[in-house]
Amino acid sequence: MKLNLIKRIALGLALLYLPAQAMAWGTNGHRICGQIADSYLTPKARKAIQAILGNESIAITSNWADFIKSDPKYGYLYNWHFINLEKEMTNSELQEHLKNDTTADAYTKINYLVAELKKKTTSKADRLLALRMVIHIVEDIHQPMHTGHFADKGGNDIKLTWFNNPTNLHSIWDSQLIDFQQLSYTEYVAWINHTTLAQRNEWQKAPLSQWILESNHLAAKIYAGVKDGDKVNVYRYNFDYIGTLNEQLVKGGVRLAGLLNQIFG
Ligand code: ADE
Ligand code: ZN
Ligand code: ZN
């Protein structure tokens, strides 16, 4: 009985030291992007979105697409979160690739979901799913490793150590770098959400293909920065990359707002 209690305490302590399970752009990355998008909606778009989401904010609904991954009913949505590109691409190479792209990926599915949301005949249930998914995927493609290589699953197979905890390159960009800032998502947004109208206009007018191209170019730099098995110098890594990561969070939010304003305008 006594040993049992000691074992239980030991197990409890051991669990405390396990690294937090990674989600895609982690829970806070999605909330940060979603909250930034919310700050740039037109009144008309805000009203239309509220009619679909009810009392759920864009920040909170942003995580739905990850939370349903454990339900086999939604297994068909798995490949919608990313687009695998095998190398660093020029704009014309990417245009050619996307023109012939018939797979289920972030590019084809964002286009599909936008069309679903614009169609008058889409049912209430389908409209809710389409809105939640398009919000999530626009955010995801601003995480550079969501435009990474198929062979290493966008960096998931590049194993790294982060403060003595096993992780991987994809997860560092989804979660660990953001969690390292130790800010709530609202504190994080207050920190980074500073843009000018000229900046927002420039980001929003770029087409979806350019959002993907920018992420793909960042992914190439990120791949070059580590090799499988590395122990990451966290302070140095943070110093080198947090500016890039924060700009991607802000761009993702600003572009999501632009897209939602256009859909519901
Ligand atoms: N998550 C799971 N598989 C992935 C892949 N191939 N690319 C990017 N993200 C992923
Ligand atoms: Zn995702
Ligand atoms: Zn991810």
Side-chain angles (χ1 to χ4, degrees):
M1 198 58 198
K2 198 167 179 195
L3 188 68
N4 209 348
L5 181 65
I6 290 166
K7 269 191 190 163
R8 276 204 231 173
I9 292 168
L11 181 65
L13 286 173
L15 284 174
L16 280 177
Y17 284 95
L18 281 179
Q21 191 58 45
M23 298 264 180
W25 256 154
T27 318
N28 259 10
H30 280 290
R31 287 180 186 155
I32 292 160
C33 261
Q35 186 74 13
I36 291 171
D38 199 312
S39 74
Y40 298 119
L41 290 179
T42 60
K44 194 169 174 209
R46 173 165 288 110
K47 202 165 161 223
I49 290 164
Q50 205 169 43
I52 300 171
L53 295 180
N55 290 326
E56 196 164 87
S57 67
I58 295 184
I60 294 300
T61 218
S62 287
N63 292 124
W64 182 84
D66 283 331
F67 293 160
I68 52 141
K69 278 181 175 166
S70 53
D71 186 339
K73 170 170 95 177
Y74 294 112
Y76 72 99
L77 297 170
Y78 185 86
N79 290 317
W80 298 29
H81 294 243
F82 49 86
I83 175 167
N84 287 132
L85 300 168
E86 291 322 296
K87 58 177 183 105
E88 183 168 15
M89 291 184 138
T90 64
N91 187 37
S92 56
E93 284 170 337
L94 182 66
Q95 296 301 337
E96 191 60 24
H97 178 82
L98 296 178
K99 202 172 71 190
N100 301 313
D101 188 7
T102 54
T103 60
D105 63 31
Y107 177 75
T108 57
K109 293 305 174 181
I110 287 174
N111 287 328
Y112 163 76
L113 291 164
V114 169
E116 282 288 289
L117 287 167
K118 283 182 174 172
K119 228 167 46 188
K120 295 263 181 299
T121 52
T122 303
S123 73
K124 225 175 151 190
D126 288 349
R127 193 172 292 278
L128 175 60
L129 184 133
L131 180 57
R132 283 169 156 168
M133 287 307 295
V134 84
I135 287 170
H136 182 93
I137 304 168
V138 168
E139 294 165 359
D140 262 350
I141 59 161
H142 284 81
Q143 202 281 54
M145 302 318 292
H146 280 242
T147 65
H149 309 157
F150 176 76
D152 55 48
K153 301 193 193 74
N156 274 291
D157 290 343
I158 298 176
K159 303 299 178 191
L160 300 167
T161 303
W162 181 270
F163 286 130
N164 289 324
N165 292 316
T167 184
N168 64 69
L169 186 57
H170 188 103
S171 176
I172 283 174
W173 280 81
D174 270 350
S175 305
Q176 273 96 53
L177 258 177
I178 294 174
D179 295 346
F180 183 63
Q181 313 312 315
Q182 300 204 23
L183 296 169
S184 69
Y185 78 90
T186 55
E187 290 167 342
Y188 209 119
V189 170
W191 176 33
I192 66 171
N193 189 17
H194 308 288
T195 63
T196 62
L197 179 62
Q199 183 66 90
R200 294 197 295 278
N201 285 340
E202 192 190 318
W203 285 343
Q204 289 174 343
K205 78 166 192 266
L208 172 56
S209 61
Q210 196 182 317
W211 310 356
I212 293 170
L213 188 72
E214 287 170 9
S215 257
N216 167 255
H217 288 182
L218 292 174
K221 290 196 180 71
I222 293 164
Y223 274 121
V226 292
K227 59 180 189 316
D228 187 58
D230 277 355
K231 192 170 181 329
V232 179
N233 177 339
V234 174
Y235 295 96
R236 177 75 214 195
Y237 202 82
N238 181 68
F239 182 70
D240 288 345
Y241 289 108
I242 195 63
T244 301
L245 182 144
N246 287 347
E247 180 166 280
Q248 286 302 104
L249 288 169
V250 178
K251 273 187 180 177
V254 165
R255 285 170 172 160
L256 176 57
L259 184 65
L260 295 172
N261 288 340
Q262 186 215 316
I263 292 170
F264 297 109

